[in-house]
Amino acid sequence: MSTPPPSHPAYPPTPGPYQQTPVPGPYQQTPVPGPYQQAPALGPYQQAPGPGACQICGAAPAAPVTVRGHQGMLVIMRFLKREGVFCRTCALASFRDMQADTMVLGWWGPLSVLITPFTLLTNLSALSGIRRIPEPVAPGFRPPLDPGKPVFKRPAGILALIPVGLLGLAVLAFTVLLAIGLVAGGSDSADHPTLTVGSCARNDAAWPEQDLEPESCDSSDAELRVTAPADGSCPAGAYLAYLKYSEDGSTSLCLRPLKS
Ligand SMILES: [Zn+2]
């Protein structure tokens, strides 16, 4: 019962020494302002809120990064976006998460099938920007995000090879069909000869079909003489040749049967 009274006077002295010595003196002089204020060497990154530090972990340098995601859900779909000033490590982690999720969840809708590849490609171009951010040199207030495994070493990336492969096949098939169509179209246009006024021709098809071939007017196979229409029409008994047989493809030519 005699001890409590003396204990009270004993405590007040203790705050004294702590407030005097350590806090204001050494801390305000050296560490905090010094090194962090030199960081403005990161000038270009400073547009962002904060002095060029990662929004997630505080590390520097950091740069503005946008990665996107897509989810298709049959009728509805979701467009996701993660945007901010990130250090390289946090940006890479964000990219890989978004990319892997989109690869699994992106395909499940009629429009999403088309949107997802674009989303993935957009992220790839964002990735090239992320790779240009230098490795963090100034540590942040907390550890950066764990980037984890590269996308194609995750189950999501392996699963995504199926729709990506199917899409690739579809694009390939479309390209091949287009190429065949062009070749066929090309050979079709190269298939027919051009006829000039005054020359002769024969028709290998049955009228009114035309499969005209040039023929020497001296030949017994020549059936038709090519003439220019007078007053825009062909004389009685003459046929009008398909326009494709003219030199420019748009001139009318008449075919007058040769009497033999
Ligand atoms: Zn970070």
Side-chain angles (χ1 to χ4, degrees), residues 147-229:
K149 291 181 181 175
V151 173
F152 280 108
K153 293 194 173 161
R154 301 179 183 199
I158 296 161
L159 268 181
L161 289 178
I162 298 166
V164 168
L166 287 178
L167 199 76
L169 277 180
V171 169
L172 187 72
F174 180 76
T175 311
V176 168
L177 285 178
L178 200 69
I180 291 175
L182 284 180
V183 169
S187 69
D188 184 51
S189 67
D191 202 26
H192 58 76
T194 57
L195 301 176
T196 52
V197 172
S199 70
C200 293
R202 67 172 200 274
N203 184 20
D204 289 343
W207 294 102
E209 301 292 316
Q210 294 184 14
D211 181 8
L212 303 177
E213 291 295 332
E215 195 66 57
S216 163
C217 291
D218 299 332
S219 162
S220 59
D221 290 334
E223 304 166 338
L224 305 155
R225 182 177 289 275
V226 181
T227 62

Side-chain angles (χ1 to χ4, degrees), residues 103-181:
M103 280 179 165
V104 173
L105 302 173
W107 307 98
W108 310 107
L111 282 176
S112 296
V113 166
L114 303 173
I115 294 167
T116 290
F118 283 105
T119 307
L120 296 175
L121 286 176
T122 308
N123 280 344
L124 282 185
S125 77
L127 177 63
S128 73
I130 291 170
R131 291 198 192 284
R132 283 197 293 270
I133 305 175
E135 290 285 351
V137 285
F141 46 80
R142 50 166 282 186
L145 299 179
D146 178 10
K149 291 181 181 175
V151 173
F152 280 108
K153 293 194 173 161
R154 301 179 183 199
I158 296 161
L159 268 181
L161 289 178
I162 298 166
V164 168
L166 287 178
L167 199 76
L169 277 180
V171 169
L172 187 72
F174 180 76
T175 311
V176 168
L177 285 178
L178 200 69
I180 291 175

Side-chain angles (χ1 to χ4, degrees), residues 54-59 86-91 144-145:
C54 175
Q55 284 177 0
I56 297 172
C57 72
F86 302 144
C87 70
R88 182 190 170 108
T89 312
C90 292
L145 299 179

